[in-house]
Amino acid sequence: MASMTPMTPMTPSAPLSWSGFATAEPVFADTVRRRFQLYKHHVLATLRADGSPRVSGLEADFRFDELLLGMMPDSRKALDLRRDARFALHANPGPDAEMNDGDVRVSGRAVEITDPEYLARFVDDATPPEPFYLFRAELTEAVRVGLDGDELVIQSWRPGQPLRTVRRK
């Protein structure tokens, strides 16, 4: 019988706020942010109570050095996030198949913001339709997939790890 060495499981680092991501990988964070800002609407994935995925449209808002997710009270996506904070957000791919700016997505945990002063500041700055729920994204991963000539380039980042780039022909 072959002897097997037990593998040490990878301990994931704690999620980071957008500002923490931007501090860790400023150029990559700027690339990801600019890609999200190309279009207003994106696709949010949340988890239903039974664990199955749900996808919904969402506007991503970069404000106060954070990635903020606002939504109507009692919307399914808001209720999903209040129950299970895990999410993935995929940038709108755009009107055609070219995706010259690449394909971008982030995932992590959505932390509900309940601080009245912060919410008042957000209302003053963004004038959202009220009432609303507001969540701050804490990232566990950011990924960009794009083309460089004939090569597929996959860039991925996780908290506590350097930016990883893989090239495929």
Side-chain angles (χ1 to χ4, degrees):
M1 176 185 279
S3 123
M4 295 177 52
T5 306
M7 293 182 64
T8 305
M10 273 182 55
T11 305
S13 294
L16 279 182
S17 66
W18 185 268
S19 58
F21 171 40
T23 298
E25 289 292 341
V27 173
F28 187 55
D30 187 56
T31 298
V32 171
R33 180 190 49 78
R34 282 186 289 112
R35 180 63 184 80
F36 272 108
Q37 290 178 322
L38 284 177
Y39 300 99
K40 186 174 185 173
H41 297 99
H42 306 287
V43 178
L44 176 72
T46 59
L47 295 170
R48 300 171 192 241
D50 68 1
S52 62
R54 180 191 318 272
V55 293
S56 309
L58 181 84
E59 296 176 25
D61 193 346
F62 291 87
R63 198 174 300 270
F64 316 132
D65 294 324
E66 297 292 348
L67 170 54
L68 300 173
L69 312 174
M71 52 204 77
M72 297 183 328
D74 300 326
S75 63
R76 296 292 180 192
K77 59 191 165 195
L79 297 175
D80 286 348
L81 290 174
R82 292 181 96 196
R83 185 187 59 262
D84 186 329
R86 294 176 291 173
F87 78 94
L89 182 64
H90 188 255
N92 185 327
D96 55 35
E98 297 303 312
M99 292 193 357
N100 292 325
D101 295 302
D103 180 43
V104 168
R105 58 193 175 272
V106 296
S107 57
R109 300 182 57 79
V111 177
E112 187 174 358
I113 297 171
T114 58
D115 175 50
E117 289 180 20
Y118 193 102
L119 293 171
R121 182 176 169 213
F122 180 77
V123 168
D124 286 346
D125 202 58
T127 60
E130 294 186 60
F132 64 92
Y133 288 142
L134 187 63
F135 297 86
R136 179 184 63 252
E138 292 190 351
L139 304 181
T140 57
E141 182 177 49
V143 177
R144 180 184 181 275
V145 179
L147 294 174
D148 183 9
D150 292 339
E151 288 185 318
L152 181 69
V153 180
I154 305 162
Q155 295 175 290
S156 60
W157 169 86
R158 291 177 183 257
Q161 298 178 16
L163 180 65
R164 181 174 174 232
T165 300
V166 175
R167 295 178 168 273
R168 295 185 184 151
K169 281 215 177 228

